[in-house]
Amino acid sequence: MTQTDTRTPLVELSGVSKHYGTVRALEGVSLQVHAGEITCVLGDNGAGKSTLIKMIAGLHRHDDGVLRVEGEETTLSSPREALDRGIATVYQDLAVVGLMPVWRNFFLGSEPTRGTGPFKRMDVDLMRRTTHAELLRMGIDLRDVDQPIGTLSGGERQCVAIARAVHFGAKVLVLDEPTAALGVKQSGVVLKYVAAARDQGLGVVLITHNPHHAYLVGDRFVLLKRGTMVGHHTRDEITLDELTRQMAGGSELDDLRHELEKSTP
């Protein structure tokens, strides 16, 4: 058993299932999220990735199996409870207000204040300084935090969301397809900051359908198909070619290739 395996995971799912009436969204899924590691969850549309995110984020309760947070068996009843336990989720459609400045979005819902009574007001200077410093600590050199966040690229907005989660004490960072709508260059920028979050000791869950992006940063890989787990590998157990093959369908693609070859005149 490796040293990593002996540590208590920050989040662990063991045989977790979720059903909506007669619809099986997830069945018997297991994964571990360790501090300083990135666990990649791969699957096509309908594989169960969204359901998995919602369970870890506290939006949906699991029906069967066990969910543990830092070794304690638990059921997360709300996103607030998940956040209080150190689990921050960054969704693909980032919850930002496009016309507000970067610093305001960074502290949205958690604004520090100064003064008391009728003289109580937001500490704007502190928020500006903190936002710039925290972004810089993650390696994001954003000169003007007063610019509307809507003027940033998709990759830059993802990076601001990652830095925000780190600043507010997240231990586990769940990222929902952060590179799905981005080009090659912007995807690289986001993956760089995903790796930076890992290097700061966070446990990261990266949801993606892109095996190349996953293999660039991943330490563990969980493959989902139609709600079931069809693969679970550590980085030293699988190559990119094999990960891509399993993600793309593996034997099903081989069968299709043979069928196409037979039908070719």
Side-chain angles (χ1 to χ4, degrees):
M1 185 175 289
T2 65
Q3 183 178 356
T4 297
D5 292 332
T6 64
R7 295 180 294 160
T8 300
L10 295 174
V11 171
E12 181 178 14
L13 304 181
S14 299
V16 165
S17 300
K18 179 65 181 177
H19 303 102
Y20 300 100
T22 59
V23 177
R24 182 189 67 179
L26 282 179
E27 189 71 43
V29 173
S30 300
L31 65 80
Q32 294 183 345
V33 184
H34 288 270
E37 287 189 0
I38 298 175
T39 297
C40 298
V41 179
L42 299 102
D44 285 327
N45 293 336
K49 304 191 302 296
S50 295
T51 301
L52 184 66
I53 290 175
K54 289 171 182 175
M55 285 197 301
I56 298 176
L59 278 167
H60 292 174
R61 299 188 181 192
H62 55 284
D63 295 322
D64 300 299
V66 176
L67 167 63
R68 296 185 180 90
V69 178
E70 295 186 277
E72 178 186 348
E73 185 174 339
T74 187
T75 298
L76 298 173
S77 58
S78 69
R80 171 52 60 185
E81 183 181 354
L83 200 56
D84 290 343
R85 298 292 296 267
I87 302 170
T89 303
V90 178
Y91 292 98
Q92 188 175 337
D93 53 345
L94 297 172
V96 297
V97 182
L99 295 178
M100 283 186 177
V102 173
W103 62 264
R104 186 68 193 274
N105 276 280
F106 193 91
F107 281 94
L108 196 61
S110 302
E111 294 86 352
T113 59
R114 60 181 177 181
T116 58
F119 302 104
K120 189 175 183 179
R121 61 196 183 280
M122 291 193 302
D123 195 338
V124 175
D125 289 340
L126 175 63
M127 285 190 280
R128 284 191 177 115
R129 291 197 310 272
T130 302
T131 299
H132 184 268
E134 288 300 306
L135 292 176
L136 199 58
R137 187 163 73 93
M138 289 288 293
I140 307 167
D141 188 9
L142 194 64
R143 291 182 295 276
D144 184 13
V145 296
D146 281 302
Q147 69 188 98
I149 199 168
T151 64
L152 302 183
S153 69
E156 288 171 330
R157 291 197 297 271
Q158 287 281 356
C159 296
V160 171
I162 292 170
R164 182 185 192 278
V166 173
H167 172 71
F168 283 102
K171 299 177 183 178
V172 175
L173 182 61
V174 184
L175 299 168
D176 175 20
E177 300 270 11
T179 63
L182 304 179
V184 174
K185 184 176 181 180
Q186 286 297 315
S187 293
V189 170
V190 172
L191 292 174
K192 174 184 174 182
Y193 297 122
V194 171
R198 173 196 61 196
D199 294 343
Q200 292 201 29
L202 276 72
V204 180
V205 181
L206 176 63
I207 310 294
T208 182
H209 63 268
N210 190 317
H212 293 83
H213 291 172
Y215 203 78
L216 278 171
V217 295
D219 299 290
R220 298 169 182 267
F221 307 97
V222 174
L223 289 95
L224 299 180
K225 181 178 180 181
R226 297 175 186 170
T228 61
M229 190 169 66
V230 294
H232 185 195
H233 312 279
T234 57
R235 187 178 182 85
D236 58 357
E237 293 174 341
I238 193 167
T239 65
L240 173 58
D241 286 345
E242 180 58 24
L243 183 66
T244 303
R245 181 177 179 276
Q246 289 190 23
M247 175 69 189
S251 60
E252 292 181 9
L253 277 183
D254 292 337
D255 293 341
L256 176 60
R257 186 180 301 111
H258 291 314
E259 287 297 320
L260 292 174
E261 287 172 354
K262 290 178 183 178
S263 63
T264 302

